[in-house]
Amino acid sequence: MSFDTAASLRVTGAGPARGVLRVPGDKSVSHRALLLAGMARGTSTVTGVSFGQDVQHTRRAVERFGVTVTDVGEGRLRVEGPLRHEPDGVLDHGNAGTGIRLMSGVCAGVDGLSVLTGDRYLLRRPMDRVAVPLREMGARVDGREAGRLAPLVVRGGSLRGITYAPKEASAQVKSAVLLAGLSARGSTTVQEIRPTRRHTEEMLGQFGAKVLVEGTSVTVEPGELTATDVTVPGDPSQAAFWAVAAVLAAEGDVVVEGLYTGFGRSDFVLILARMGADIDFDSTTGTMTVRSTRLRGVEITGADIPGIVDEVPVLAMAAAVAEGTTVISGAGELRAKESDRIASTAAMLRALGAKVTETEDGMVIEGGTRLRPGSVDSHGDHRIAMTAAVAAACAVEGTSEIKGWDAVATSYPGFADQLVALTGAGCEPVA
Ligand code: S3P
């Protein structure tokens, strides 16, 4: 049985973490590359997209608009845009919040009706954050329940440009509005409360859109996109698991190559360095090198969160073994992720013997604990499952069980195989 489809994974540690590896293509970049290539006139080539289920859902959703996506080998996809008609069926985004939210912005600009849905976890996530600005632009956006909305029904068409200041620091919201802005009358501006990842504005420029970035404000002018070729770099948020594997292991020496080096994605390196880790990130080559050391607790505040929004669970695991207390605050957005990540991270830490107190917008972790084997529930959240696996392999002696392991395939098929290769951990899939 493949690890990727296992309902649970049993992991027996704690060995060293040693090796040189690569991670899947960046998930955020992959979604955008497929969407923009689908919207652009002409043939684009996208190389190295994430092979996780989230991005495969985006690919199939793009195809529903009459865009042909062909696998041309060696990790390359040929995408023949532009979108030709309203989608010919329901757009199923699986577990992918980025997929559904960015696509809602695309649908707002399409003359016709789009229905967007996802799995039971996605249907619990807030969609009003994109519905509100898209309605302001003139799209009709409807759904079942105030706030959560999905399945989401979008009737797109003639939009007007707006200036919008989302109350959350969210690259997904920024991106949905900017993508809709491409087919609006007049320019569209998003003013962020805190700077978030910049993939959409970077890639819109690559596809020939007129984009202006001034501080935390981004403006896009309406216009057609032109096909281009995109190479997707490795995903730093996946490299973070291997960084923490190296710091948790008694003997850790890990190198991850080929990572995205742009803004806002590798701040976990800075946090680990603040904790005293022996870590280096070469921002010209995208190579990260980490060796095991003793860590100390740190304070992580709201200003840090947008830069580590996906890495909090794995950083919390590092904090559990660090000397001293780590206080994480200003992280309320984590409650709206694939799981309520404040609750699921705290429960995971507790299950492995760490001391943690949940707060409304974060948690307090009393470090220095010797972790012990336990049973962790992923709550359908890939990042909880991968964090627990890394801890079980590198910092726990004995056998731990991770329930809901199949969530990992949403972003990182092959993760358990790499874990075995890197740490020598005993991994056993359970049906
Ligand atoms: C993402 C933005 C973040 C992040 C998610 C990917 C993106 O979400 O957590 O994994 O690609 O735009 P928010 O926009 O909700 O912060």
Side-chain angles (χ1 to χ4, degrees), residues 26-29 31-32 97-99 101-102 125 129 168-175 196-197 199-200 237 265 306 308-310 333 336-338 341 382-383:
D26 190 289
K27 192 149 71 89
S28 293
V29 176
H31 285 300
R32 287 158 173 87
T98 306
R101 295 204 179 103
L102 268 56
R125 297 178 66 183
R129 53 183 60 197
E168 349 30 44
S170 165
Q172 293 177 357
V173 175
K174 168 174 69 178
S175 303
T196 62
R197 61 192 72 194
H199 305 301
T200 300
S237 67
R265 295 299 305 284
I308 55 165
V309 67
D310 295 327
E333 266 295 299
K337 294 293 175 191
E338 285 84 331
R341 268 196 193 144
H382 56 132
R383 297 196 199 275

Side-chain angles (χ1 to χ4, degrees), residues 271 274-275 295-300 315-316 318-328 355-357 359 363-369:
I271 302 284
R274 245 155 72 188
M275 296 177 85
L295 301 181
R296 54 181 177 270
V298 287
E299 193 171 334
I300 296 173
L315 290 171
V321 300
E323 289 300 321
T325 305
T326 292
V327 180
I328 302 174
K355 293 196 197 87
V356 56
T357 314
T359 61
M363 64 196 85
V364 179
I365 302 160
E366 300 296 339
T369 327

Side-chain angles (χ1 to χ4, degrees), residues 3-4 6 9 52-54 238 378 380-387 389 402 404-416:
F3 289 133
D4 295 330
L9 187 74
Q53 291 162 355
D54 281 7
Q238 309 288 31
S378 77
D381 188 333
H382 56 132
R383 297 196 199 275
I384 298 296
M386 289 186 277
T387 300
I402 302 148
W405 179 256
D406 46 354
V408 170
T410 60
S411 74
Y412 204 154
F415 180 86

